[in-house]
Amino acid sequence: MAKPPSLTGENGFHFSQAILFPSPSPSGEDSAAFNTPGGTPLSNGTGCCGTPSPAESCAQPLCEARDSTQFGEGIKYVSTDGKELACGWGGFTPGCLQFFNTSKGVLFFLCVASFLQGMTVNGFINTVITSIERRFDLRSYQSGLIASSYDIAACLCLTFVSYFGGNGHKPRWLGWGVMVMGLGSLLFALPHFTTGMYKVHSSADVGVCAANQSQSCAPAASSLSSYRFVFMLGQFLHGMGATPLYTLGVTYLDENVKTNYSPVYIAVFYTAAILGPAAGYLVGGMFLNIYTEIHRETDISPENTLWVGAWWIGFLGAGAASLLISIPILGYPQRLPGSQRYIVMRVSEAHQLKDGSHKKASDPDFGKTVKDLPRSVLLLLKNPTFIFLCLAGATEATLIAGMSTFGPKFLESQFSLSASEAATLFGYLVVPAGGGGTFLGGFLVNKFKLRCSGIIKLCLFCTVTSLMAIFIFFIRCPNMPMAGVTQTYNGSALPDNQVNLTAACNAECGCLRETYSPVCGSNNIMYYSPCHAGCKKVSEKLRNGKKVYKECSCVEKNTFPGEAEAGKCTSSCAKRTLLLFFMFIVILFTFLSSIPALTATLRCVPDRQRSFALGIQWIVVRTLGSIPGPIAFGSMIDKSCLLWQDQCGEQGSCYVYQNSAMSNYTLITGLVYKVLGTTFFVVACLLYKPPPAESAQGSSDTSENGNSDLQETKPSLPAAEDI
């Protein structure tokens, strides 16, 4: 049967008939609620006419509202708060700004903010960290402290921000947070302008075979390393500023849209945060191809180990954009016009404690003072569903952090790719799998209108599916043969995997262990460097954009010295497509459970504790997941290293991994965390105790007839739900 033409509301759902909200009472008695002669209950409004027919009452305005805002044709919202719900700054609330005073407007600006945060913290930082180390003479552990400063700041601020911000003016907390984040980006770029010009001290060409090569092993002490404290402070400000974004931002969206549409809005918000790092890698990589002193020319190329790119440009742009985007966010009201009707229709799904102490959180005065903080923490700790959802989130965060950090390195080793090729390939996996999975998770919750227990079961299904797919790491690609590392120069096996880079063919070359520049011989064997391959000349012509070395005594071709091409030998792994497909599945289902798990967290706690609950969850996720995750994965992967960097007798990073061992360790680590995640979701599902059906209905009825300044007429509610 054909349906009548429908009208679209502000959040994308439809009404088959116009809905009119009553005007405010002339007497100003906001708390008054009474019935019209026609029997239709009104709250905070005046019964103008006693019309028994809902259709007639909605056909035309029965009373002319003095202060109304139009939300789509046929739907009028009448605010009792007047200018309190207007968009603007103080008394400046121009009418043109009210076009953005909707949930979609908020979503747009929050998406831009989360995109900038992801692009800066997870994109630019990871891209430029090597250039910063080179420019400011930093060691790896010092750059690690710079990266960790973000999580340290977030953990320190989460409790304070989520508790007081959750009971305060959320848009103001969000706006000031984004502004602090922008200041952190500008501070991060400051060292480029306060230091002297970067000068390249190039050494002699140590790439080809030549006797008596030497390289200084006494690095001069530099005061530039003190700038690490500036970088740490910049990252600390990033962490402080981003703290409200993923706690208060999520709850502000959740409480200003219809319950069924909340997962979709949150999914779009998190999808923007996932796309941010992808843009950061691409844009940051482009800037690194520009010399750091942009007004000076240099004779070295980006491939040179002494090259430092323009790492600071991205932070300037992101900082300026964050400052600009904070201005409209600061202009939003404490709640959006029309949001009260979603609170009226909301049915509590909070976990029911046996002692009934969860009812304390429904007190309007609860959480407004510091004295309530211990009680609020205790209520959350007594909620087993919340606790196990936090633990499950920590295990998933560990996998995500580990995959994002070491995923490119895994592909680089398995398929014998360059670092840039591996990063690009990993990006092609993460953007559709991570972004698509995040959005799809929110869509499924909305599509099937899942309640809290059903959402937890969806998370469990996703975790089990990715657990099955992770067994793909039993498949691995063989290592490309490398002379002196995986085999001897004459092709025989090395005893006990002992690295021996010296042979009769390169003994007179005086090759340096510090110069790692892999080449692929014409015999399809890799060598540590052109010198270790015994190459004596460099061709003036490039082949496929790569240097070609000639007269390589260690590369035999028809008993004559062969050639070698710069770079690694191309892997011909037949299982490459299968491995990439199942990696895509693992990433897809890992991210697919993220928004449902977040939605379940919001629903299993009382409404007044949602922001604080997200703050506590983020602390657990960071301390047990995001921070130790890369360390756990890194320590396991390091066990599979065959060839370590040797810088003047000190061990550096790993150059070559044993592919089979790397796959095994990745499989073991992934299985442990996936099994833990599955267990936590099972326990959360079993322990969850929803409110009784009659209690939930009664609670809903009470809120509908209680103290609220918006009320939809009873006959209109089914019409809104049907379509």
Side-chain angles (χ1 to χ4, degrees), residues 33-116:
F34 54 89
N35 291 339
T36 64
T40 303
L42 296 175
S43 173
N44 299 324
T46 303
C48 300
C49 309
T51 306
S53 170
E56 294 176 10
S57 66
C58 292
Q60 60 182 1
L62 301 181
C63 301
E64 188 65 27
R66 289 175 297 174
D67 182 21
S68 63
T69 305
Q70 191 77 15
F71 286 97
E73 183 182 354
I75 301 176
K76 281 190 177 181
Y77 163 72
V78 182
S79 170
T80 59
D81 293 315
K83 292 186 177 180
E84 291 184 12
L85 299 186
C87 184
W89 303 272
F92 181 67
T93 57
C96 59
L97 290 180
Q98 308 317 310
F99 174 78
F100 299 99
N101 198 17
T102 64
S103 56
K104 289 177 181 170
V106 172
L107 178 64
F108 171 77
F109 290 115
L110 290 184
C111 281
V112 175
S114 66
F115 180 86
L116 291 172

Side-chain angles (χ1 to χ4, degrees), residues 313-620:
I313 298 179
F315 293 98
L316 283 182
S322 297
L323 293 179
L324 288 175
I325 205 67
S326 67
I327 297 174
I329 295 176
L330 283 169
Y332 276 97
Q334 188 167 4
R335 60 181 176 84
L336 296 179
S339 62
Q340 189 68 20
R341 67 174 176 270
Y342 306 124
I343 299 175
V344 168
M345 293 187 292
R346 190 185 301 275
V347 177
S348 175
E349 297 181 56
H351 175 81
Q352 304 295 290
L353 300 177
K354 293 182 179 179
D355 58 1
S357 57
H358 59 278
K359 297 179 181 178
K360 296 178 182 178
S362 60
D363 186 349
D365 296 324
F366 181 79
K368 292 186 176 180
T369 63
V370 181
K371 295 180 181 179
D372 291 329
L373 181 59
R375 294 172 58 195
S376 188
V377 173
L378 183 61
L379 282 179
L380 292 178
L381 293 179
K382 292 168 66 176
N383 188 333
T385 304
F386 170 74
I387 294 298
F388 282 101
L389 285 176
C390 289
L391 294 175
T395 60
E396 295 296 286
T398 304
L399 288 172
I400 292 174
M403 284 191 297
S404 61
T405 305
F406 298 104
K409 181 173 288 188
F410 180 84
L411 297 180
E412 179 182 347
S413 178
Q414 293 291 321
F415 305 143
S416 189
L417 303 173
S418 67
S420 60
E421 291 172 336
T424 302
L425 181 58
F426 189 71
Y428 288 148
L429 283 176
V430 170
V431 171
T438 301
F439 180 79
L440 183 60
F443 174 79
L444 291 176
V445 173
N446 170 62
K447 177 68 175 178
F448 297 105
K449 294 181 172 54
L450 299 177
R451 299 185 70 82
C452 190
S453 61
I455 294 172
I456 299 176
K457 291 175 183 177
L458 174 62
C459 296
L460 179 59
F461 169 77
C462 295
T463 307
V464 172
T465 303
S466 57
L467 172 62
M468 296 296 103
I470 212 167
F471 282 100
I472 191 61
F473 289 110
F474 271 126
I475 298 177
R476 70 288 310 265
C477 296
N479 279 85
M480 293 300 295
M482 186 171 186
V485 180
T486 62
Q487 64 180 40
T488 62
Y489 276 81
N490 59 16
S492 59
L494 280 169
D496 299 326
N497 293 326
Q498 295 295 322
V499 175
N500 183 12
L501 298 174
T502 304
C505 59
N506 61 19
E508 303 297 326
C509 295
C511 302
L512 297 175
R513 181 74 178 267
E514 289 78 16
T515 307
Y516 177 68
S517 180
V519 295
C520 181
S522 52
N523 55 359
N524 210 32
I525 295 176
M526 286 199 301
Y527 296 87
Y528 191 87
S529 72
C531 179
H532 289 84
C535 304
K536 296 179 175 59
K537 293 182 180 180
V538 182
S539 175
E540 295 181 358
K541 295 182 179 180
L542 300 179
R543 182 186 300 166
N544 299 324
K546 298 179 180 179
K547 287 184 179 180
V548 178
Y549 299 90
K550 296 182 176 296
E551 298 184 18
C552 304
S553 57
C554 296
V555 183
E556 294 185 1
K557 185 175 182 181
N558 299 327
T559 69
F560 292 102
E563 298 178 346
E565 190 175 285
K568 299 177 181 179
C569 294
T570 304
S571 173
S572 57
C573 181
K575 303 169 184 174
R576 174 170 174 166
T577 303
L578 185 65
L579 184 59
L580 289 176
F581 173 76
F582 278 94
M583 281 187 68
F584 180 89
I585 297 298
V586 171
I587 298 172
L588 174 68
F589 280 92
T590 298
F591 278 90
L592 197 147
S593 65
S594 59
I595 298 303
L598 183 66
T599 306
T601 302
L602 291 173
R603 295 191 183 182
C604 76
V605 298
D607 286 353
R608 294 186 62 83
Q609 282 198 296
R610 285 178 299 172
S611 294
F612 187 55
L614 285 185
I616 297 298
Q617 185 179 60
W618 270 107
I619 293 175
V620 174

Side-chain angles (χ1 to χ4, degrees), residues 172-364:
R172 290 178 187 167
W173 284 82
L174 288 164
W176 287 115
V178 175
M179 188 174 291
V180 169
M181 190 173 69
L183 293 176
S185 296
L186 296 179
L187 181 64
F188 204 94
L190 182 63
H192 170 77
F193 301 97
T194 56
T195 54
M197 302 288 291
Y198 177 63
K199 297 179 181 179
V200 178
H201 302 284
S202 59
S203 58
D205 185 6
V206 293
V208 295
C209 179
N212 300 323
Q213 299 187 54
S214 63
Q215 188 175 24
S216 174
C217 274
S222 172
S223 60
L224 291 179
S225 61
S226 299
Y227 276 100
R228 68 184 182 275
F229 297 111
V230 179
F231 292 127
M232 291 173 66
L233 180 58
Q235 273 286 74
F236 197 88
L237 292 178
H238 282 152
M240 287 179 59
T243 298
L245 202 55
Y246 297 104
T247 51
L248 306 182
V250 171
T251 52
Y252 189 68
L253 286 173
D254 180 64
E255 65 195 19
N256 282 287
V257 299
K258 190 179 177 184
T259 302
N260 289 341
Y261 284 87
S262 172
V264 177
Y265 274 67
I266 297 173
V268 173
F269 173 66
Y270 270 87
T271 302
I274 292 173
L275 295 179
Y281 277 108
L282 293 175
V283 177
M286 290 169 52
F287 289 145
L288 289 182
N289 287 324
I290 304 172
Y291 189 57
T292 184
E293 307 293 346
I294 57 176
H295 57 282
R296 293 176 63 93
E297 294 184 358
T298 180
D299 57 352
I300 64 173
S301 64
E303 288 77 20
N304 193 298
T305 55
L306 299 174
W307 174 273
V308 173
W311 57 271
W312 48 273
I313 298 179
F315 293 98
L316 283 182
S322 297
L323 293 179
L324 288 175
I325 205 67
S326 67
I327 297 174
I329 295 176
L330 283 169
Y332 276 97
Q334 188 167 4
R335 60 181 176 84
L336 296 179
S339 62
Q340 189 68 20
R341 67 174 176 270
Y342 306 124
I343 299 175
V344 168
M345 293 187 292
R346 190 185 301 275
V347 177
S348 175
E349 297 181 56
H351 175 81
Q352 304 295 290
L353 300 177
K354 293 182 179 179
D355 58 1
S357 57
H358 59 278
K359 297 179 181 178
K360 296 178 182 178
S362 60
D363 186 349

